[in-house]
Amino acid sequence: MIEDLPKLGVGLGFREPLRPDIFLNQSRLDFLEITSDHYLDATPGKLDELSLLQDSFTLIPHSLDLSLGSAEGVDEVYLDKLAGLVGRISPPWFSDHICFTRSNGIKLGHLASVPYTDEALKVFVGNIQRVKERIPFPLILENITYDVTFPSSEMSEPRFISRLLKETDCGMLLDATNLFINSVNNGYDWRRFLDQLPMERVVQLHFVGSHRHGERLIDAHSNRTEDEIWNVFEEICVRCDIKGAILERDEKFPDFSELLDELEIARRFIRKEECFAQIADKGMPPNRSSVALAE
């Protein structure tokens, strides 16, 4: 059950250039998320790195290529390798995306969205069932950014996600940055999107800054988290009990102190809302000044 999953706190997506600073600041990182694909056909050096990380941190595997939306089913070779990695780590949960990355045996090289139809939903449900049969650890699913919407869609994205989470009994990895980017690029209100999600199923968050290219935003994982995305992050924390949040930074790495500053901002939002909930549970007036006094 989602409510039984442990609270991990706030951490980083592990990237090799950050490795020295990560270990120098181990006490300020609650957990790490690793990219599973980096360790599936790993060299001895990468396996040594994985052992070192395991000895020092709680690890959450985040895979890229399960291709849960592929009509031809899950790649059994990839699934076996991922099962071996997840079994070795024994994480509280692992994650992948609401997308497909393969079609007719061809790798697309990116995360592709699907039309929101009953047929697509059945594909996801079948593939996730197969993953669950092979990997006996909780699976959580992440929302992606997309540039294409499908006229053939039979329901909204939040309705599709809600049905998917319910029918597979999965949790959600809610990417605050992806949500904000999609809301800008596709012209919708991200708050109304959240209104339609089963927020009790949100387990983990991703966050990072967006990158503007002309009139569109891009999920480049290369910028500091901006105020608009912090607004999304805070609102999510108000609405649900977050088990963990990960800062995803892939390039243009700043001084590590800047990343630590972002982690502290996220930690304050999460703690503030936990305090708010505790005050409400005790029957005190549910207002922000009560939280401020409690802090």
Side-chain angles (χ1 to χ4, degrees), residues 14-20 22-23 32 34-35 38-39 42-57 59 88:
F14 176 77
R15 305 294 183 263
E16 198 162 335
L18 299 176
R19 177 174 164 177
I22 283 174
F23 280 97
L32 297 178
I34 62 167
T35 302
H38 294 169
Y39 301 95
T43 64
K46 289 297 287 183
L47 291 177
D48 288 343
E49 176 182 84
L50 181 60
S51 295
L52 183 63
L53 294 173
Q54 275 188 270
D55 290 342
S56 304
F57 297 95
L59 301 182
R88 169 175 174 162

Side-chain angles (χ1 to χ4, degrees), residues 236-264:
I236 295 169
C237 290
V238 168
R239 295 183 183 222
C240 57
D241 184 23
I242 303 301
K243 305 294 185 179
I246 285 288
L247 172 60
E248 290 189 297
R249 191 70 179 260
D250 290 339
E251 57 183 40
K252 295 183 181 178
F253 297 116
D255 185 270
F256 200 73
S257 63
E258 293 186 31
L259 300 183
L260 292 175
D261 286 345
E262 290 194 69
L263 297 185
E264 286 306 313

Side-chain angles (χ1 to χ4, degrees), residues 192-229:
R192 294 195 65 181
F193 189 103
L194 292 177
D195 289 342
Q196 300 171 69
L197 285 183
M199 299 301 289
E200 71 278 3
R201 288 193 174 271
V202 177
V203 173
Q204 183 187 324
L205 302 185
H206 275 169
F207 66 100
V208 71
S210 63
H211 172 73
R212 182 169 290 278
H213 182 73
E215 295 184 356
R216 297 187 68 79
L217 297 181
I218 298 173
D219 181 30
H221 291 188
S222 60
N223 295 84
R224 184 179 178 89
T225 308
E226 63 263 41
D227 288 345
E228 292 86 351
I229 292 174

Side-chain angles (χ1 to χ4, degrees), residues 37 63-76 78-79 82 95-114 120 123-128 131 139 141:
D37 303 63
S63 58
L64 304 176
D65 210 17
L66 268 176
S67 196
L68 296 169
S70 288
E72 63 262 38
V74 178
D75 183 327
E76 292 291 336
Y78 182 89
L79 180 58
L82 181 61
S95 60
D96 205 292
H97 304 81
I98 303 172
C99 75
F100 70 102
T101 58
R102 288 180 295 102
S103 181
N104 294 321
I106 298 173
K107 290 188 176 183
L108 304 180
H110 67 278
L111 310 179
S113 60
V114 301
V123 168
F124 272 101
V125 171
N127 288 339
I128 290 170
V131 172
L139 170 63
L141 306 173

Side-chain angles (χ1 to χ4, degrees), residues 2-9 93 172 174 198-205 233-245 269-271 273-275 277-278 281:
I2 290 173
E3 58 268 25
D4 297 327
L5 295 176
K7 288 193 176 184
L8 298 186
W93 62 80
M172 186 172 187
L174 182 49
M199 299 301 289
E200 71 278 3
R201 288 193 174 271
V202 177
V203 173
Q204 183 187 324
L205 302 185
F233 187 100
E234 182 180 22
E235 181 65 25
I236 295 169
C237 290
V238 168
R239 295 183 183 222
C240 57
D241 184 23
I242 303 301
K243 305 294 185 179
F269 279 136
I270 291 174
R271 287 176 176 169
E273 298 315 324
E274 287 175 350
C275 182
Q278 290 170 4
D281 287 343

